[in-house]
């Protein structure tokens, strides 16, 4: 449902890039998916800010993501971020 790429940087922040293709749905659906991602990443980084090294994070959504809710997106992102440590 998701792909995540992480590149370490010399900066001080964790930057997020989101990719949601038109195959996912119309503009309303794509924007809702992006809001889900932003909120999920915000919640994850709030809990683990000290543990995450500064990096650029790119999240690519597959078309299936438009059919699931926020809890599924959050759970999958949480799992992926835990593997990155």
């Amino acid at each position: 449902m998701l792909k995540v790429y992480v590149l370490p940087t010399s900066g001080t922040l964790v930057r997020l890039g989101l990719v949601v293709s038109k195959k996912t749905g119309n503009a309303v659906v794509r924007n809702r998916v992006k809001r889900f991602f932003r909120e999920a990443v915000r919640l994850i980084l709030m809990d683990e800010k000290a543990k995450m090294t500064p990096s650029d994070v790119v999240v690519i959504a597959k078309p299936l993501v438009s059919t699931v809710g926020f809890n599924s997106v959050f759970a999958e992102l949480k799992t992926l971020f835990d593997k990155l440590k």
Side-chain angles (χ1 to χ4, degrees):
M1 182 164 70
L2 304 174
K3 279 189 180 180
V4 176
Y5 295 101
V6 178
L7 297 167
T9 62
S10 60
T12 59
L13 299 173
V14 175
R15 298 187 306 173
L16 177 67
L18 300 172
V19 179
V20 182
S21 74
K22 286 187 177 182
K23 292 179 184 178
T24 305
N26 61 16
V28 174
V29 173
R30 291 192 310 267
N31 287 331
R32 182 179 49 132
V33 169
K34 287 186 235 179
R35 283 194 307 271
F36 284 171
F37 283 140
R38 283 189 205 105
E39 181 64 13
V41 170
R42 185 187 69 81
L43 291 173
I44 291 168
L45 292 179
M46 260 179 44
D47 289 342
E48 304 169 3
K49 186 175 269 187
K51 298 177 185 175
M52 188 78 178
T53 59
S55 56
D56 293 338
V57 179
V58 179
V59 178
I60 301 174
K62 299 295 180 182
L64 177 67
V65 79
S66 65
T67 61
V68 298
F70 175 76
N71 291 333
S72 298
V73 170
F74 179 76
E76 187 160 348
L77 274 175
K78 179 84 168 143
T79 304
L80 290 172
F81 272 80
D82 287 341
K83 288 180 183 178
L84 294 175
K85 291 182 189 178

